[in-house]
Structures are given as C-alpha cells and as structure tokens.
Amino acid sequence: MNSTSDIEQAEFLQTLASKSTGGTLRGDYAQADAHYVVQQDMATYTPAQHALWRRLYQRQAKLLPGRACDVFIENLVALDAADGIPEFARTSKALFTATGWVLVAVPGLVPDHIFFEHLAQKRFPVTVWLREEHEFDYIVEPDVFHDFFGHVPLLFNPVFAAHLQAYGKGALKAMPLGGLDYLARLYWYTIEFGLIRSAQGLRIYGAGILSSAGEIEYSLHSPVPNRLRLDVERVMGTSFKIDAYQESYFVIDDFEQLFHDTEPDFTPLYARLKLRQPMPANTLLAGEMTLPPNAE
Ligand code: HBI
Ligand code: FE
C-alpha cells in the first residue's frame, strides 16, 4: 500500500540520528544534506526562545475551542508541546506509531521537488528555527511554530495523513506536466487555509489559519470572504495572496472528501486549466453560493 516500508522509514531515522551536523540557525542551509535535512539540536534553543514558544502556544491554544476541528484539538493536546519548543524525535516516535509518518528538521523552505518527495515518503519537513519577538504577530515564511503547531496535529489522523502522502506523489507526477502552480493552489486552499463542516458549524483545519493570531476569527466570522464548497478544478484555477487574509475559503465535509476528490489523475484537469487565466482570489462565479459565516 505504501511506497515506504516501515523498515525503510526506521532506517532513514537511524541515518538522521547518526548525523553529526546540527544547529538551529535561521536559514542555515550549509548544514543540510541532499534531502535538505538537518539535525535539530535542542541545546541551541535559548530559554528566551522557549518562553516565546510558550506565549505563541498559549495565545493560539486559547482560540481553538469551537473554532479548530476536533481532530486538530485532540491531537494537539496529545502532543504535549505547550511547555517549550518540542523535540521532533520524540514526536516522530508517536507519529510513526499512529500513521507511519515522521518529522524531519529542515532549515526553512526547501525546493518544491524535495518537499514533495518528503511527503510522498511520509516525512513532514519542520523548520527548526523560531521567529523573533518582533515577528510575534506575523511572519511571512514558515518557522517551527507554524510548521509544528499548525501542521503536525493532523498528521496523526490516518485519512488526512493518507491524503498528504497522495498529494506528495501527485505533485511529483505533476511537475513534469507543468501542473505545479495548480498543485500549489490546491495545497494553499486546503492544507494551509481549509475549512471543514461540523454539526456545530464551520471549523478550521488549515495550518496557515490555525497558526495565525487574527485569521482564526476572521475566517469563521467575517462577512467579507467567500466560503465555497471545495471543487478541485475551481481551486486549482484560483490565485491566492500570501500577505493578507484570504478572500476565499474552501470548505470540505470531511477528510474522506479531501482524499477522494484529490485521488483521480489530474492530467486532463491541467490541460483544461492551461487554456485559461487564473481567477482572482475574490472571484464569485455566477451560480456559486457562499456559505454564511458562523453565528456569535
Ligand atoms: N518547504 N519547508 C517547506 N515547507 C513548505 O510548506 C514548502 C516547502 N517548499 C515548497 C512548498 N512548500 C510548496 O511547494 C508547497 O506549498 C506547494
Ligand atoms: Fe504550512
């Protein structure tokens, strides 16, 4: 079923553990191996950095009840990462037991094909360094708080994890077909900024929202943005902004939908999408219904 056997995964972890290079400096790509992997060196995090993590964690955690999806909240609690920057190796053990995934430490953004290769092999790249105090409210590039707090909880869910692995494989296939932009939009509007329905109203599962101070409230309650049912071709044809709250959110019913809707071969989709310009992020097409924001 999986391309990586448990033995291969365990061996990969061993290789990492035996590496001598380390460091948690921002953007220290010189230390990285061919997979852009570094060692997370816990000794290099200062007490002030752990304290900053705790403040970030506490602010976000308070906002989650009634706003993040249940799966996220349950698994975040199980991670036990409230007290300081977590050690990835410890989380990897629990994660491997749950879904066969592991975390790998990276110096920051890695090239697309490297990123997709990790996902296809059930390895989630987590940035090692933490933002600075002046970036407390907003940071453009992913840091350890965004990557760990935002992404790791859902990796404990088997359906979500299976989707992300399939996404990685699909993206590797899409690159030579010129489908990268489309796959990046899909990732953006689901994994980073996705909403999900629940019996009590809309909930958030996107890591970009869940690690943001302001967008949790905005995405669920503001009357301004569109909230549309997820349609893969629609999403792939919609551009996005990286420096402002989203103008459209896409809503799924459950993680099974995410898995099934993204399972088919996208080759014919890319052919159609290439014939037209991407739509602006705030587009509302004739006949499209935007879902109402949550009450209260
Ligand atoms: N690298 N570390 C890291 N994290 C990402 O989320 C990431 C990346 N490289 C490329 C990339 N994302 C994009 O290709 C995806 O957002 C589609
Ligand atoms: Fe992210």
Side-chain angles (χ1 to χ4, degrees):
M1 188 181 109
N2 296 315
S3 66
T4 322
S5 73
D6 290 356
I7 294 168
E8 281 172 316
Q9 195 73 295
E11 278 170 1
F12 190 84
L13 280 183
Q14 283 264 302
T15 338
L16 287 189
S18 67
K19 264 204 230 334
S20 58
T21 53
T24 51
L25 283 178
R26 189 165 186 161
D28 189 4
Y29 289 88
Q31 303 283 341
D33 71 3
H35 304 277
Y36 281 76
V37 171
V38 296
Q39 273 280 83
Q40 184 192 29
D41 185 353
M42 291 306 291
T44 58
Y45 296 122
T46 65
Q49 286 175 320
H50 286 298
L52 180 60
W53 170 280
R54 282 194 295 274
R55 284 167 53 218
L56 284 163
Y57 188 105
Q58 279 160 17
R59 173 174 69 175
Q60 288 312 107
K62 256 206 302 244
L63 298 171
L64 301 179
R67 302 194 180 92
C69 67
D70 291 344
V71 171
F72 183 91
I73 296 179
E74 287 158 15
N75 288 311
L76 180 69
V77 172
L79 277 177
D80 186 26
D83 292 339
I85 301 167
E87 189 171 357
F88 303 166
R90 187 165 74 95
T91 307
S92 280
K93 275 193 195 139
L95 182 58
F96 183 70
T97 305
T99 58
W101 279 66
V102 294
L103 306 181
V104 289
V106 293
L109 284 172
V110 303
D112 295 321
H113 72 283
I114 301 282
F115 182 68
F116 298 143
E117 234 166 64
H118 281 305
L119 299 185
Q121 306 287 329
K122 298 192 284 185
R123 301 190 295 257
F124 194 79
V126 178
T127 302
V128 276
W129 53 267
L130 183 67
R131 70 191 67 188
E132 290 173 26
E133 182 66 45
H134 68 92
E135 298 162 304
F136 193 77
D137 286 325
Y138 182 73
I139 183 166
V140 239
E141 45 182 341
D143 72 337
V144 60
F145 185 72
H146 165 81
D147 282 343
F148 191 99
F149 184 97
H151 286 287
V152 174
L154 288 186
L155 293 173
F156 281 81
N157 178 267
V159 179
F160 185 87
H163 163 70
L164 201 58
Q165 182 184 18
Y167 173 86
K169 290 181 183 176
L172 285 176
K173 252 180 68 184
M175 291 188 70
L177 302 172
L180 187 61
D181 287 352
Y182 310 128
L183 264 295
R185 290 181 196 136
L186 179 64
Y187 190 91
W188 189 263
Y189 281 119
T190 57
I191 309 298
E192 294 292 357
F193 291 95
L195 300 182
I196 185 166
R197 281 152 87 93
S198 82
Q200 290 79 38
L202 297 174
R203 294 290 181 269
I204 305 158
Y205 72 93
I209 308 177
L210 291 169
S211 60
S212 152
E215 197 155 355
I216 289 184
E217 192 65 19
Y218 183 87
S219 65
L220 295 179
H221 298 292
S222 168
V224 175
N226 298 325
R227 295 178 187 82
L228 305 168
R229 307 299 295 269
L230 178 74
D231 174 291
V232 171
E233 187 165 349
R234 169 68 158 83
V235 166
M236 287 186 172
T238 307
S239 55
F240 59 82
K241 292 197 180 145
I242 62 163
D243 57 355
Y245 291 160
Q246 301 306 303
E247 294 175 303
S248 292
Y249 298 96
F250 291 88
V251 184
I252 59 172
D253 288 327
D254 47 40
F255 293 133
E256 277 81 6
Q257 183 197 351
L258 200 55
F259 186 67
H260 286 120
D261 288 6
T262 56
E263 209 176 20
D265 183 0
F266 292 144
T267 314
L269 272 190
Y270 305 146
R272 281 205 295 280
L273 286 159
K274 274 180 203 169
L275 300 175
R276 42 183 213 251
Q277 289 294 313
M279 292 177 262
N282 63 357
T283 304
L284 190 62
L285 298 170
E288 273 184 342
M289 294 253 296
T290 167
L291 299 167
N294 281 357
E296 55 57 72

